[in-house]
PDB file of all heavy atoms in Angstrom:
ATOM      1  N   LEU A  21      -9.824  -1.799   7.625  1.00 83.00           N
ATOM      2  CA  LEU A  21      -8.999  -2.991   7.720  1.00 83.00           C
ATOM      3  C   LEU A  21      -8.873  -3.473   9.152  1.00 83.00           C
ATOM      4  O   LEU A  21      -9.010  -2.697  10.089  1.00 83.00           O
ATOM      5  CB  LEU A  21      -7.587  -2.696   7.200  1.00 83.00           C
ATOM      6  CG  LEU A  21      -7.459  -1.879   5.918  1.00 83.00           C
ATOM      7  CD1 LEU A  21      -5.997  -1.566   5.643  1.00 83.00           C
ATOM      8  CD2 LEU A  21      -8.069  -2.622   4.745  1.00 83.00           C
ATOM      9  N   VAL A  22      -8.567  -4.760   9.294  1.00 88.00           N
ATOM     10  CA  VAL A  22      -8.157  -5.292  10.591  1.00 88.00           C
ATOM     11  C   VAL A  22      -6.883  -6.100  10.379  1.00 88.00           C
ATOM     12  O   VAL A  22      -6.782  -6.868   9.420  1.00 88.00           O
ATOM     13  CB  VAL A  22      -9.262  -6.139  11.260  1.00 88.00           C
ATOM     14  CG1 VAL A  22      -9.593  -7.380  10.447  1.00 88.00           C
ATOM     15  CG2 VAL A  22      -8.865  -6.517  12.679  1.00 88.00           C
ATOM     16  N   TRP A  23      -5.907  -5.893  11.250  1.00 88.00           N
ATOM     17  CA  TRP A  23      -4.623  -6.584  11.174  1.00 88.00           C
ATOM     18  C   TRP A  23      -4.615  -7.722  12.192  1.00 88.00           C
ATOM     19  O   TRP A  23      -4.849  -7.496  13.380  1.00 88.00           O
ATOM     20  CB  TRP A  23      -3.486  -5.620  11.509  1.00 88.00           C
ATOM     21  CG  TRP A  23      -3.320  -4.493  10.547  1.00 88.00           C
ATOM     22  CD1 TRP A  23      -4.098  -3.357  10.462  1.00 88.00           C
ATOM     23  CD2 TRP A  23      -2.327  -4.360   9.537  1.00 88.00           C
ATOM     24  NE1 TRP A  23      -3.640  -2.542   9.475  1.00 88.00           N
ATOM     25  CE2 TRP A  23      -2.546  -3.132   8.873  1.00 88.00           C
ATOM     26  CE3 TRP A  23      -1.250  -5.166   9.136  1.00 88.00           C
ATOM     27  CZ2 TRP A  23      -1.751  -2.685   7.838  1.00 88.00           C
ATOM     28  CZ3 TRP A  23      -0.459  -4.722   8.086  1.00 88.00           C
ATOM     29  CH2 TRP A  23      -0.707  -3.498   7.456  1.00 88.00           C
ATOM     30  N   LEU A  24      -4.305  -8.930  11.728  1.00 92.00           N
ATOM     31  CA  LEU A  24      -4.236 -10.090  12.610  1.00 92.00           C
ATOM     32  C   LEU A  24      -2.945 -10.840  12.331  1.00 92.00           C
ATOM     33  O   LEU A  24      -2.555 -11.022  11.169  1.00 92.00           O
ATOM     34  CB  LEU A  24      -5.432 -11.026  12.375  1.00 92.00           C
ATOM     35  CG  LEU A  24      -6.827 -10.410  12.528  1.00 92.00           C
ATOM     36  CD1 LEU A  24      -7.886 -11.403  12.095  1.00 92.00           C
ATOM     37  CD2 LEU A  24      -7.058  -9.953  13.960  1.00 92.00           C
ATOM     38  N   GLU A  25      -2.250 -11.295  13.397  1.00 92.00           N
ATOM     39  CA  GLU A  25      -1.028 -12.064  13.214  1.00 92.00           C
ATOM     40  C   GLU A  25      -0.792 -12.951  14.421  1.00 92.00           C
ATOM     41  O   GLU A  25      -1.340 -12.719  15.498  1.00 92.00           O
ATOM     42  CB  GLU A  25       0.178 -11.131  13.011  1.00 92.00           C
ATOM     43  CG  GLU A  25       0.473 -10.225  14.185  1.00 92.00           C
ATOM     44  CD  GLU A  25       1.604  -9.240  13.905  1.00 92.00           C
ATOM     45  OE1 GLU A  25       1.945  -9.047  12.728  1.00 92.00           O
ATOM     46  OE2 GLU A  25       2.141  -8.682  14.876  1.00 92.00           O
ATOM     47  N   LEU A  60     -11.525  -5.513   4.582  1.00 84.00           N
ATOM     48  CA  LEU A  60     -10.382  -6.379   4.325  1.00 84.00           C
ATOM     49  C   LEU A  60      -9.749  -6.840   5.620  1.00 84.00           C
ATOM     50  O   LEU A  60      -9.547  -6.053   6.535  1.00 84.00           O
ATOM     51  CB  LEU A  60      -9.334  -5.596   3.490  1.00 84.00           C
ATOM     52  CG  LEU A  60      -8.200  -6.349   2.825  1.00 84.00           C
ATOM     53  CD1 LEU A  60      -8.722  -7.371   1.842  1.00 84.00           C
ATOM     54  CD2 LEU A  60      -7.266  -5.385   2.111  1.00 84.00           C
ATOM     55  N   VAL A  61      -9.431  -8.143   5.690  1.00 91.00           N
ATOM     56  CA  VAL A  61      -8.672  -8.716   6.792  1.00 91.00           C
ATOM     57  C   VAL A  61      -7.243  -8.939   6.291  1.00 91.00           C
ATOM     58  O   VAL A  61      -7.039  -9.581   5.254  1.00 91.00           O
ATOM     59  CB  VAL A  61      -9.272 -10.040   7.284  1.00 91.00           C
ATOM     60  CG1 VAL A  61      -8.385 -10.678   8.342  1.00 91.00           C
ATOM     61  CG2 VAL A  61     -10.674  -9.836   7.828  1.00 91.00           C
ATOM     62  N   LEU A  62      -6.270  -8.402   7.018  1.00 90.00           N
ATOM     63  CA  LEU A  62      -4.864  -8.588   6.667  1.00 90.00           C
ATOM     64  C   LEU A  62      -4.263  -9.593   7.651  1.00 90.00           C
ATOM     65  O   LEU A  62      -4.141  -9.323   8.838  1.00 90.00           O
ATOM     66  CB  LEU A  62      -4.111  -7.261   6.755  1.00 90.00           C
ATOM     67  CG  LEU A  62      -4.666  -6.118   5.885  1.00 90.00           C
ATOM     68  CD1 LEU A  62      -3.858  -4.852   6.079  1.00 90.00           C
ATOM     69  CD2 LEU A  62      -4.680  -6.524   4.421  1.00 90.00           C
ATOM     70  N   LEU A  63      -3.903 -10.771   7.138  1.00 93.00           N
ATOM     71  CA  LEU A  63      -3.400 -11.860   7.980  1.00 93.00           C
ATOM     72  C   LEU A  63      -1.884 -11.895   7.886  1.00 93.00           C
ATOM     73  O   LEU A  63      -1.327 -12.190   6.824  1.00 93.00           O
ATOM     74  CB  LEU A  63      -4.009 -13.192   7.537  1.00 93.00           C
ATOM     75  CG  LEU A  63      -3.747 -14.400   8.456  1.00 93.00           C
ATOM     76  CD1 LEU A  63      -4.376 -14.176   9.832  1.00 93.00           C
ATOM     77  CD2 LEU A  63      -4.284 -15.668   7.819  1.00 93.00           C
ATOM     78  N   GLY A  64      -1.223 -11.579   8.991  1.00 91.00           N
ATOM     79  CA  GLY A  64       0.232 -11.464   8.998  1.00 91.00           C
ATOM     80  C   GLY A  64       0.941 -12.740   9.378  1.00 91.00           C
ATOM     81  O   GLY A  64       0.331 -13.815   9.478  1.00 91.00           O
ATOM     82  N   GLY A  83     -12.800  -9.251   2.096  1.00 84.00           N
ATOM     83  CA  GLY A  83     -11.573  -9.805   1.534  1.00 84.00           C
ATOM     84  C   GLY A  83     -10.603 -10.243   2.604  1.00 84.00           C
ATOM     85  O   GLY A  83     -10.617  -9.732   3.735  1.00 84.00           O
ATOM     86  N   LEU A  84      -9.728 -11.170   2.256  1.00 89.00           N
ATOM     87  CA  LEU A  84      -8.637 -11.581   3.121  1.00 89.00           C
ATOM     88  C   LEU A  84      -7.376 -11.730   2.280  1.00 89.00           C
ATOM     89  O   LEU A  84      -7.403 -12.395   1.232  1.00 89.00           O
ATOM     90  CB  LEU A  84      -8.946 -12.910   3.837  1.00 89.00           C
ATOM     91  CG  LEU A  84      -7.863 -13.384   4.829  1.00 89.00           C
ATOM     92  CD1 LEU A  84      -8.506 -14.054   6.044  1.00 89.00           C
ATOM     93  CD2 LEU A  84      -6.890 -14.369   4.161  1.00 89.00           C
ATOM     94  N   VAL A  85      -6.306 -11.103   2.730  1.00 88.00           N
ATOM     95  CA  VAL A  85      -5.015 -11.246   2.054  1.00 88.00           C
ATOM     96  C   VAL A  85      -3.948 -11.591   3.074  1.00 88.00           C
ATOM     97  O   VAL A  85      -4.017 -11.192   4.236  1.00 88.00           O
ATOM     98  CB  VAL A  85      -4.600  -9.968   1.287  1.00 88.00           C
ATOM     99  CG1 VAL A  85      -5.537  -9.700   0.128  1.00 88.00           C
ATOM    100  CG2 VAL A  85      -4.532  -8.770   2.199  1.00 88.00           C
ATOM    101  N   ALA A  86      -2.963 -12.364   2.631  1.00 91.00           N
ATOM    102  CA  ALA A  86      -1.817 -12.681   3.468  1.00 91.00           C
ATOM    103  C   ALA A  86      -0.749 -11.630   3.206  1.00 91.00           C
ATOM    104  O   ALA A  86      -0.420 -11.343   2.053  1.00 91.00           O
ATOM    105  CB  ALA A  86      -1.287 -14.076   3.137  1.00 91.00           C
ATOM    106  N   VAL A  87      -0.215 -11.036   4.286  1.00 89.00           N
ATOM    107  CA  VAL A  87       0.748  -9.954   4.134  1.00 89.00           C
ATOM    108  C   VAL A  87       1.977 -10.206   5.000  1.00 89.00           C
ATOM    109  O   VAL A  87       1.940 -11.007   5.943  1.00 89.00           O
ATOM    110  CB  VAL A  87       0.110  -8.597   4.533  1.00 89.00           C
ATOM    111  CG1 VAL A  87      -1.079  -8.279   3.653  1.00 89.00           C
ATOM    112  CG2 VAL A  87      -0.287  -8.578   6.007  1.00 89.00           C
ATOM    113  N   GLY A  90       3.372  -5.858   9.088  1.00 81.00           N
ATOM    114  CA  GLY A  90       3.148  -4.427   8.858  1.00 81.00           C
ATOM    115  C   GLY A  90       2.693  -4.105   7.461  1.00 81.00           C
ATOM    116  O   GLY A  90       2.489  -2.955   7.110  1.00 81.00           O
ATOM    117  N   GLY A  91       2.538  -5.127   6.590  1.00 84.00           N
ATOM    118  CA  GLY A  91       2.127  -4.884   5.216  1.00 84.00           C
ATOM    119  C   GLY A  91       3.268  -4.632   4.257  1.00 84.00           C
ATOM    120  O   GLY A  91       3.079  -4.014   3.204  1.00 84.00           O
ATOM    121  N   LEU A  94       2.928  -8.524   0.016  1.00 83.00           N
ATOM    122  CA  LEU A  94       1.598  -9.028  -0.274  1.00 83.00           C
ATOM    123  C   LEU A  94       1.768 -10.394  -0.928  1.00 83.00           C
ATOM    124  O   LEU A  94       2.363 -10.505  -1.999  1.00 83.00           O
ATOM    125  CB  LEU A  94       0.832  -8.084  -1.207  1.00 83.00           C
ATOM    126  CG  LEU A  94      -0.561  -8.567  -1.638  1.00 83.00           C
ATOM    127  CD1 LEU A  94      -1.488  -8.656  -0.437  1.00 83.00           C
ATOM    128  CD2 LEU A  94      -1.150  -7.657  -2.702  1.00 83.00           C
ATOM    129  N   ILE A 201      -1.757  -3.553  -1.953  1.00 88.00           N
ATOM    130  CA  ILE A 201      -2.899  -3.872  -1.068  1.00 88.00           C
ATOM    131  C   ILE A 201      -3.999  -2.807  -1.246  1.00 88.00           C
ATOM    132  O   ILE A 201      -5.186  -3.130  -1.364  1.00 88.00           O
ATOM    133  CB  ILE A 201      -2.466  -3.948   0.392  1.00 88.00           C
ATOM    134  CG1 ILE A 201      -1.502  -5.138   0.603  1.00 88.00           C
ATOM    135  CG2 ILE A 201      -3.662  -4.069   1.320  1.00 88.00           C
ATOM    136  CD1 ILE A 201      -0.832  -5.149   1.961  1.00 88.00           C
ATOM    137  N   ILE A 273      -1.649   2.123   4.745  1.00 92.00           N
ATOM    138  CA  ILE A 273      -2.522   1.518   3.742  1.00 92.00           C
ATOM    139  C   ILE A 273      -3.885   2.182   3.725  1.00 92.00           C
ATOM    140  O   ILE A 273      -4.432   2.485   2.662  1.00 92.00           O
ATOM    141  CB  ILE A 273      -2.623   0.001   3.974  1.00 92.00           C
ATOM    142  CG1 ILE A 273      -1.236  -0.647   3.784  1.00 92.00           C
ATOM    143  CG2 ILE A 273      -3.617  -0.635   3.003  1.00 92.00           C
ATOM    144  CD1 ILE A 273      -1.159  -2.113   4.151  1.00 92.00           C
ATOM    145  N   ASP A 274      -4.434   2.457   4.909  1.00 91.00           N
ATOM    146  CA  ASP A 274      -5.706   3.196   4.968  1.00 91.00           C
ATOM    147  C   ASP A 274      -5.572   4.541   4.262  1.00 91.00           C
ATOM    148  O   ASP A 274      -6.467   4.975   3.521  1.00 91.00           O
ATOM    149  CB  ASP A 274      -6.114   3.433   6.428  1.00 91.00           C
ATOM    150  CG  ASP A 274      -6.277   2.131   7.208  1.00 91.00           C
ATOM    151  OD1 ASP A 274      -5.230   1.508   7.470  1.00 91.00           O
ATOM    152  OD2 ASP A 274      -7.412   1.779   7.548  1.00 91.00           O
TER     153      ASP A 274
END
Side-chain angles (χ1 to χ4, degrees):
L21 317 174
V22 64
W23 296 77
L24 303 173
E25 62 185 17
L60 193 61
V61 175
L62 303 179
L63 189 63
L84 183 144
V85 294
V87 300
L94 177 65
I201 293 170
I273 297 173
D274 302 70

